Amino acid sequence: MYKIIDGKKISQEIKDELREKAAQLKAAGESRCLAVIQVGADPASSVYVNNKKKACEYVGIESLSYSLPEETREEELLKLIGELNAKKSVSGILVQLPLPEHINEEKILLAISPDKDVDGFHPVSVGNLSIGRPGFVSCTPAGVIQLLKRSGIEIQGKECVVLGRSNIVGKPMAMLLLRENGTVTVCHSKTVNLREVTRRADILVVAIGKPKFIDESYVKEGTVVIDVGIHRDENNKLCGDVDFERVAPHCSAITPVPGGVGPMTIAMLMSNCVG
């Protein structure tokens, strides 16, 4: 029988620990403040921003919210980021993605001070991760590591396969698994004999952005499957990159969608904020 890895429960445990830590910092005269910038009124982005505000409130850290109109110029956004970089009371800056087309996303992310890059997207943060130095780590991959560790799943010495090579999930995920002494293979759209590679995995992390792409033919018996994808299926129900019903019976443990990796992303953002 497979075990369901409960991201809601684990993320709540982390937030409770951070709440305690934030209270201790406050008592010692140290405050934390997250500045969140949203450009435009994309409904999904608004939901995420709202969830981040709620998480800050729960953990006990201050949050500043900047809702800018869709037509905001790149220079105006850069100016605001510059002001927040200089503000000592602000410990973290987050620009909600995606940005409107007329704004260069890379330029904006580069403008955030690496010391305040709580999303872990700045090249300095990525460089620190790749050479094993301390620094901010991209929240979703960091959340996956916590899901595994807090579920008692050993990473050291295991064959780990990551499906997807994005800068936000795939690449940092591979580096974090390496840091935990996993043996790591990264697969992508050009991988030959994909099934053969994924069927070697003791731990399979799927982040390819294709609904229900992974079925039972991609997994060996007893694998741990982590599904990072989130989509709506033909019945408008949330689903992941993994066909849960078909894959779960062949796993030792698996994350559901929703309620698996999703809640962990915000918990790890809070972890980056509290420090």
Side-chain angles (χ1 to χ4, degrees):
M1 182 61 187
Y2 60 89
K3 171 186 176 179
I4 289 186
I5 299 172
D6 188 345
K8 280 186 185 171
K9 181 174 170 284
I10 294 170
S11 69
Q12 189 59 51
E13 284 169 13
I14 291 169
K15 284 191 286 190
D16 287 342
E17 289 164 16
L18 292 170
R19 191 177 188 173
E20 213 168 284
K21 191 175 177 183
Q24 287 167 359
L25 286 168
K26 215 173 202 172
E30 285 186 52
S31 61
R32 297 285 186 268
C33 173
L34 172 65
V36 181
I37 305 169
Q38 182 182 356
V39 185
D42 176 71
S45 290
S46 299
V47 169
Y48 291 137
V49 166
N50 202 34
N51 286 344
K52 285 163 188 172
K53 281 189 217 165
K54 280 184 191 164
C56 284
E57 205 174 306
Y58 183 82
V59 169
I61 63 175
E62 196 189 335
S63 69
L64 299 173
S65 188
Y66 297 87
S67 298
L68 308 179
E70 183 87 20
E71 59 276 10
T72 298
R73 296 194 336 271
E74 188 174 275
E75 303 77 57
E76 293 174 88
L77 182 53
L78 288 167
K79 183 172 178 283
L80 173 59
I81 291 168
E83 287 165 4
L84 293 169
N85 279 338
K87 214 173 188 179
K88 282 187 178 163
S89 61
V90 171
S91 45
I93 302 169
L94 186 152
V95 177
Q96 185 63 44
L97 304 178
L99 289 165
E101 280 181 17
H102 66 279
I103 295 176
N104 181 326
E105 210 166 89
E106 191 184 354
K107 202 171 174 182
I108 298 305
L109 295 178
L110 276 171
I112 297 169
S113 164
D115 297 333
K116 299 189 178 190
D117 170 41
V118 286
D119 257 336
F121 295 163
H122 195 284
V124 169
S125 304
V126 177
N128 283 336
L129 172 62
S130 68
I131 60 172
R133 288 184 61 189
F136 292 117
V137 176
S138 189
C139 301
T140 300
V144 170
I145 296 294
Q146 286 299 315
L147 282 178
L148 293 168
K149 285 185 166 181
R150 288 171 184 252
S151 300
I153 294 161
E154 182 72 44
I155 302 170
Q156 183 165 310
K158 294 292 170 65
E159 187 93 35
C160 306
V161 175
V162 178
L163 254 67
R165 54 176 166 180
S166 73
N167 291 337
I168 290 172
V169 180
K171 289 175 188 170
M173 188 73 254
M175 286 191 279
L176 283 173
L177 289 164
L178 265 178
R179 193 160 84 176
E180 297 296 330
N181 300 315
T183 301
V184 184
T185 304
V186 179
C187 298
H188 44 78
S189 56
K190 302 292 186 286
T191 298
V192 179
N193 300 329
L194 182 64
R195 279 185 181 84
E196 282 177 32
V197 182
T198 60
R199 285 181 70 84
R200 294 202 308 258
D202 301 311
I203 298 170
L204 178 64
V205 182
V206 188
I208 49 172
K210 293 183 178 180
K212 297 186 181 180
F213 181 83
I214 296 298
D215 62 24
E216 70 277 20
S217 67
Y218 287 86
V219 299
K220 72 174 180 187
E221 291 296 319
T223 299
V224 173
V225 175
I226 306 288
D227 188 353
V228 180
I230 187 152
H231 317 274
R232 295 254 172 210
D233 67 11
E234 60 281 2
N235 303 315
N236 205 34
K237 275 184 72 179
L238 286 171
C239 68
D241 290 348
V242 175
D243 190 330
F244 185 90
E245 303 303 327
R246 291 173 66 175
V247 172
H250 302 275
C251 299
S252 58
I254 186 169
T255 57
V257 176
V261 175
M264 295 300 293
T265 301
I266 287 187
M268 298 320 292
L269 171 66
M270 292 300 103
S271 178
N272 280 349
C273 290
V274 174

